[in-house]
Every structure is written in C-alpha cells, then in structure tokens.
Amino acid sequence: MRFRLKLIVFFLILVSGCFADIIPTSLKCEYRENPVGIDEPKPRFSWVLESNQRNQGQTAFQIICAGKKELLQDKVGDLWDSGKVNSDQTVHVVYNGKPFQSNKTYYWKVKVWDSQNRASEWSEPESFTMGLLNSSDWQAKWIQYDTNPLNENTELHLPPCPYLRKDFTVQKKVQRAFLYVSALGLVEMSLNGQKVGNDFFTPGWTDYNKRVYYFSYDVTPLINSGENVIGAILAEGWFADYIGYSILVNWPQKKNFYGKVPALLAQLVVEYADGSQTIIKTDDTWKAATGPIKEASILMGETFDARLKMDGWNTPGFNDKEWTPVQPGPVYYGKLQAFPGVPVRETQEIKPTEITEPRSGVYIFNMGQNFAGRVRLNIKGEVGTKVTLRFGEMLHQDGTLMTENLRKARATDTYILRGDAEGEVWEPQFTYHGFQYVELTGLPNSPDLETLTGIVLNSNTPRTGFFECSNDTVNKLYSNIVWTQRANYFDVPTDCPQRDERLGWTGDAQIYTRSASYNMDIDAFFTKWLRDLNDAQDPKGYYPNFAPVAFHRTSGQHYFFSPGWMDAGIICPYTIYQVYQDKRVLEHYYDNMKKQIEFYGTVSENYTCKQDIEAWGDWLSFGSKTSNHYIATAYYAYDTLLMSEVAAILGKDDDSRYFKNLFTKIQNAFLEKYWKSEGIFVDDSQTTCAMAIYMKLLPEDIEKRAAVRLAELIRQNGNRLSTGFIGCKHLLPALSEHGYDDLAYTLLTSTEFPSWGYEVVNNATTIWERWDSYTIKDGFKKGMNSFSHYAFGAVCEWMFRYMAGIDMEGYGFKNIIIRPRISRDKISYVNADYNSIHGKISSHWQREGNNVKLDVTIPANTTALVYVPSPNKKEIFENGTVIGKHKDIKSISSDDGCTVVQIGSGPYKFSFNLTD
C-alpha cells in the first residue's frame, strides 16, 4: 500500500510538472470582456497571465476561434487556429481567420507556453458578437414623432418626450433574439415592459453630421411566445437639446444644433429553432403618443406628470387606438457604427447623510458626496401634488442651496403625483446633474432619509488604480480625484457635470489623460472620444477647444484655437499608445496629427509662435502669468518631439527624422527667445520652468538651472504653487526629476491657500475648478465656478509615478520601472496598486526612521527595474537575502544615488536604510 501511494504521489508530481505554472485570464476583445455588437472586421485579443512563481513569462501562444462554443470544448477553431506562435505578445493580437458574419456570436480561447516551454491549460472560453457589418443589413428606417408644437414652457423650449410602440407576434420556438438600436437624440428601449439593457444616454454624443452609433442587445429572455410589444421613449439629448453655454453667451442659435426632432432606428432580429427568422423594424407601422415625461433636458432637468402615466403602454393588450402613426425620420447620410466605447451606467447608490430645513417647507438633503447622476424619489401624497427638486454643489451660509455657479442650467426636476395610496417611486430617465445637495419643495409631509436615494451615473470605466498613504489629507485628495473623474467621464471627458457647459474640453482632457489611466481603464472610452476629437478637427489642421463641437460651428463661425487645448489631438493618442500599446490608434489618426504640426507652422515665425497668438493660456493660474506665445511654442516643440516618436513606432523613418530635425530647430529658437543668460526665463514663472523640464525642451545643463529656478520661485512664494491648468500637471514631476522630492511633498501635503489640501480641509469631496472656488476670507467665487473639475487632479500622475514609483520603460508596462520617492518627513508609507494591461503592479513602501521596507509585485510576462534609494548594495536585502547573492536578482547597477536591480515577475520584499 505504501509503495502504491508513493507511485501515485510521484505520478502527480510528474504530471503537474508537465503543465505551465501560468494561466491566461481576463480575456478581452477590443478592450472589452464578451463585447456584444462590434463592427471591427479584424478585432484584437488580449489577456493577462497569472502565476504563483517568480520570473515566469510567455514564450508562445495559441488562439482558437469558433462559431460554436461546443467546438472550443473539442479544441477546434473552425474560424481561426493561430497554431503555436512563438511570441510573448499578450495584448492586441490581431484576428487573422475567416470573415465574420453580421449578427453572429463567436467564441475564442487561448493557451500559452511558459518560460520552460510548458503549455498551460486552455483559458475559459470568451465570446464576442458582431453587429450589423453592412449597410444592407439594415432593413429598418428612421422614424420620429414631432412633439415640438406641444411645448408648454414659456421660457425654454422643452417639448414632451415621444413614446413609440410596435406589436408583433412570435409563433415559433425562439433560439436567439438581438436588438440593434440607434437614435438621433437619446433612447430607452423596452420589450414587453422590461427595459432593454442597463445603459443610459444611448447612443451617446457624436457629431451627428458625420456618425451616429448603435447599441446591440441580446434580448432572447425578453421575448414571449405569442403577443409581444417593443417600445421606445425618445428625448432630444445632445442632438436637439440645449448644449453648453449657448444661452449664457447669447449665441444666435440656442439649441437644435444637429436637428430639431429626435429619431429612432431599431431592428429586432428573432431567430427560431427551425433556422428561420423574423425582423421587426422601425417603419411606418409603428405608433406614437406623448406620455408623462413633459420635459426632458440634460442641462435643464426633467418634468414627470404621473397623472399621465400609461400603464402597460409597452406590453401586450394595451389599447393604442388613440395613438398616432409615426412620421418618417430624416434621410441620414452619416456613418452608422457600433458603439466602441464605455456606456453610461448606474455605478453606485448613495444615501443622504442629513436633512435640514433652512426655510419653512424647504428641505435640503446632503448626499455626503459631490457626484454626477440623479436621485430616486420615494413619496406618498395626494393627486396633483407638485414636488420640485433642485440641485447644487454647495450651500450658502444660511443653509440654502447655492446655484449661482450653474449659470443658465436650470438643473431642476419636477414630479407631479398621481396619488397612489401605496406611494410612488420615480427616477428621471434623460437628465443628470452634478451635485452634493438636493433641495425639495412642495412635499406633502416632512421627509426622512429614505425619501431620496442618489444614483451615481458615469461611463462605466473599470477601476484600475488604488492608492493610500499615511497622510489623511492626501488620501482624501485621492478620493476626490477619483470621484471627479467618475463625474466627468460621461460619454465624453467633460469639464464639469453641473453647469451650462459639460463639454469635452480638450485642454482638460490632455492634461489629465495620464492620471486618468492610472485610476481607471480608459482605453475603450478614449477609442470613442478620439473619433469625436478627429471628427471635430478644423480644416486648417488645428483641433478644437472641445469635442464634439456643436454651437461654435453654427452660422459658419469657428471658435479660436488654443495651444494647450488643440494639442489633445496628439498627446491623447500618444498617451493611449504609451499606456496600452494601442498601435492602431496611432495608425488611424497619424495624418490628422501631422496636420496639427503643419498648422503650428502657419502661426509661427522663425520656429516660435507669434506674439499675438490667442489662447486660454495657463488657465486659472494664481498669482503669476505665463505668456500665450510661450505656452504655444512649448507645445509646438513637445508635439513635434512626440510625433518623431510616433512616426518611428509606425515605421515612418523619413517622417521621424523630419520631426526630430524640426524639434531641434524649435528647441533652438525656444532657447534663444525665452532663456536668459541670468538663468531665468523671459516669462519667469513656475509654469515656464515646469513645462520646459517636463517636455524635455532644454539641454541637460540648462534644464538643471531651470529646476533650480523652479525651486527658488516656489520658496519665494512661501512654498506655495501658482500654476494654472497647464503648469499644474508638470509642476511636481519637474521637481522630482531633479531631486526636489521634499519640495514636491511639501506642495502636495500643504493645507495653506492655494493648495490641494486647502480644498480638502474646507470639506471638498471633489476637485475644484479654481484654487479660489471657495476661500474662508471671500466665500464662493462668483461667476464661472465649478466644484467638480478634474484638471488640477492631474497631480494624481505624480502620486502614482513618483510617490509610489510605478512607471515604465517603453510602452504598455511591459518593462516596468519601480522608483518610489521616499518622503523623509511628510509621509511614512504609501500603498499603490495598478492593474496595467499586462496585469497588477504593486508598490508598497513603509519608512520607520531610516529603515524602509519596499514590497513590490510584478505581473507575469513582464520585467522590472527597481530603483532602491540606497547606494550600498551590501545593505539591501530581498526577503532576508543580500541582493548581490540573490538568485532572482538578475543585474545590479547604480544611478543617481540609487541601486538599480532587475527582477522578473512575482512578489518581492526589499528592506534597506535611507542614506543622506
């Protein structure tokens, strides 16, 4: 018996040794897990490798793709079998099999070979569903129902929402049913009374003259045997509603920038078990009416008259004899494409923390957090009772709601009760607000904390970054940054979620993109918005101040370009490649990016931008000014430097040399015009120094002098910053690159005005637009003011790259750099995790006196250089072993007072002493 047990154990050991200690997980197709409705003919596959061993990687992979899941179980790829491919590539592997068909679901899985050439088990199968790939696949026609004549608002034009319905019968066994739906405006679909999907604000904001998206849904479970009803509610949305600050600036046209009447395009494909199918499509057989949604506006709010509810309107058996035939929609000539981004969804619910009554019958609910979304109202009262909800970010000293910063955004919801004895629950469908406080008036009874529930809405970008440290103020700052990103990543990267704006400002986007990528997975989100951005590029070559562009392009008028803003067209695609190794995004927009460089040439003389260039400049700087032409020239040089790199990535060597030579010319002209022999810039400000250092515009010796000057300017300013949007992003990284980590920590942890910490100690729950959005001395800043603006949150990049030290060499975090800047007195520990496209990276350090422990985790199939801030390698240990004698430490060198060690994947525990 004992001999037999030994044989069994030996066999198990032998078998286990035959398989790789590596597992492919987190499979994605075009950045998404099991995407439904894609139209990319050659989609890309990615996966993450997990292993419990150090120094583990991939030497080969095999992908199989099949039309039926059962085939994968037999390891058959009838559409594509890549065979064994000798490669360590795990991201953006391009499909190279048979062509796909519209409205079909496909399945794929992958296995890999590890560093010892041992094969892993196959991954779990994943799927992707193709949308309608050809225009001929669409049998549906655009339909609409014009409710503009029914507008009852005397101050604003807010017509009621159209309700549309169609009866159909199913008499066979249903195998599969998919709904494809688009709208000029916003749409919410239902089948037999059930909402289709969990997305909101579909199909998103685009330049409707150029493209509109459709969404795809598997609705098989919603189909009934027998009678069925498909229903739709439309709203004007970005297509026909008020957009931005057109009313505020008295623009000649206030709304209807793309069209006047929302329209619907929908096609339901029902496949039966016998192989036949039925297509229910939008056409002239649909019927329409108005219902309880009397007004629906993204900026203005929603009005719902529950007395007009049509119970069962979208279910079988409803009497629609009084409904009107729909009208034919517009002939649409733009591109109809599958939505490539991240849909807006409900991501969290929030309960109020307190209720106050500053005036009789006026109740203020404090939600405890500034966020983007709306509220769910739970109420009981008599028929006809009118309840009004107003939204704001702050309260006046007397406890009343502060709405002055909303400007022309009404931001008001209204609910009229139908008098249900059991109570009524209502949530708006086509509006959202940015708020922390809700004012309720008209209530029949005193409310309680159950009267309202906050519904958080945002593009559902998965969380990737996690950060904490020993300083509670910094931790709250990080929370505020994340909440602000949530609130403003709303189909497009908006500047603010509350006032009459909510535009995809390009300057804010490019400043913050790298920070955003640490916090959340933004690749698919930017896939969508970069289309918006390039659709909006001016024929002259410059990118606009915001995208999509709406009212600035009506009446033949174009808004002025602005350096620092238009550069998003180059910086954002570059950053997406830098973080995610997405080469396709560079290929798609390369020619557009070149036009931006060419445009810079037209507004420059002798390789520097003209003195009278019009721009936003270092927006909202505090106490110092930097000239527009300096900022423009710096970005001209920086863009050109990036383009030399982009061209090399794409194999365009001649272009790369051209851009490199152009950069040298701009750099020389920049130095001649702006750098003075006394060791300061002509524009002597924190922003000038920080930009030049971060953007690598200076020779090494001059860069060091610029860093000295930057530190002097900060100290002369009482260790306070003075930068605006542009300079803020570059400030702390510029300091750390030249050894001024302590000064960077001083700025980060300061609670004096102006600073990030000042906002925190004054109860901020998001990032403010202005350093002086509120001060104890002066109160709220009048006029332009937002308490949810992520631009100054760009400090998050420094928190991850320098505090935690998580960075990369090259692209895509394949070759990782861990170089934490250990604080000697401000911070005693930092814990940060980042789920990169190659897997989870962790950097946790803790200091006790001069003793430091640094725990690092490197994902499988990557390597890392760890910069240990101690020059004495004999006193650096990994898990108790001196690194010089460590079998898992591959190389050791020195760099700027650090010992640099090279490691493979896995967890590591370093310990060392800081030196002076």
Side-chain angles (χ1 to χ4, degrees), residues 499-515:
R499 69 180 180 222
D500 57 347
E501 204 157 343
R502 311 189 202 185
L503 299 168
W505 282 94
T506 50
D508 306 47
Q510 70 87 2
I511 289 164
Y512 186 72
T513 302
R514 185 65 194 277
S515 290

Side-chain angles (χ1 to χ4, degrees), residues 448-515:
D448 58 29
L449 294 178
E450 298 303 315
T451 301
L452 289 185
T453 301
I455 308 300
V456 180
L457 296 172
N458 54 269
S459 291
N460 193 25
T461 47
R463 187 78 180 270
T464 54
F466 302 88
F467 179 96
E468 68 170 355
C469 69
S470 59
N471 186 299
D472 290 339
T473 300
V474 175
N475 290 336
K476 182 58 176 174
L477 168 64
Y478 179 66
S479 172
N480 293 356
I481 291 170
V482 173
W483 273 104
T484 310
Q485 182 171 333
R486 283 196 189 106
N488 284 289
Y489 273 30
F490 201 103
D491 192 70
V492 303
T494 62
D495 57 323
C496 59
Q498 77 295 99
R499 69 180 180 222
D500 57 347
E501 204 157 343
R502 311 189 202 185
L503 299 168
W505 282 94
T506 50
D508 306 47
Q510 70 87 2
I511 289 164
Y512 186 72
T513 302
R514 185 65 194 277
S515 290

